[in-house]
Amino acid sequence: MPTPRQSDTLFRLLMAHRRRLVRYARTIVGDDHRAEDVVQDAFLRLDGAVEAGPNGAAAVSKPVPYLYLVVRNLAVDARRRMTREERRTAPEDGHFAMLAGDHPTPEATVIARDDLRRLEAALAELPERTRVALKLHRVDGLRLVDIAAELGVSVGTAHRLVSDALDHCRHRLRRS
């Protein structure tokens, strides 16, 4: 465990470079909140490397470059996850996009209502916890970490629940 002096030094280091690190992460992830999360995760990794003692000493001998490297790696990973998620959840046939216009055609309205009815049926087939996880993620806009805390599960389990729900709904919409 880092000594109080080490923790204080690390905290001051983070505060001195935080804005630049967040700005750097934001250029990669494109979002202020995710950039903040990336910087926080990088700081925790630095803290963990210090805690590791002699094994982490090489990485921590130059903590600022280490932080920038970790921020870059975490931001790239976050961007990849975001891109995969966007690809996985984008409507494939554009039915939902038809409603974006000011005056959808009657055909587009009928198709969208039918899609909505099939989606509601698919959601009703899901287990309660999976349905709640999807609602928290897609409707309430919670992050997986927050969903995990809300449901009392790990972040990996929260991700699996949301992913399973999306896969199920996608499969049901294609099948119908």
Side-chain angles (χ1 to χ4, degrees), residues 42-168:
F43 177 71
L44 292 174
R45 297 224 179 160
L46 175 63
D47 195 43
V50 169
E51 190 173 321
N55 296 336
V60 183
S61 65
K62 296 183 180 183
V64 174
Y66 176 83
L67 270 174
Y68 274 94
L69 178 66
V70 173
V71 164
R72 182 197 162 281
N73 291 342
L74 291 172
V76 167
D77 288 346
R79 186 72 199 157
R80 284 183 187 141
R81 279 191 306 276
M82 289 167 32
T83 302
R84 275 195 310 267
E85 181 73 18
E86 288 167 2
R87 251 187 276 134
R88 210 173 79 225
T89 59
E92 294 175 12
D93 54 10
H95 285 296
F96 297 112
M98 284 188 238
L99 287 178
D102 290 339
H103 303 287
T105 65
E107 294 84 9
T109 302
V110 169
I111 290 170
R113 283 184 182 154
D114 185 52
D115 286 346
L116 185 58
R117 182 186 47 73
R118 289 184 293 138
L119 179 60
E120 287 173 340
L123 289 171
E125 296 171 354
L126 292 171
E128 178 69 19
R129 187 169 74 161
T130 305
R131 187 171 45 251
V132 168
L134 181 64
K135 178 198 171 287
L136 292 172
H137 186 61
R138 291 299 179 163
V139 177
D140 298 341
L142 293 182
R143 298 176 310 150
L144 292 174
V145 172
D146 301 323
I147 294 168
E150 179 80 21
L151 298 177
V153 297
S154 69
V155 174
T157 299
H159 181 267
R160 184 183 50 77
L161 290 170
V162 171
S163 181
D164 289 351
L166 289 170
D167 289 344
H168 175 77

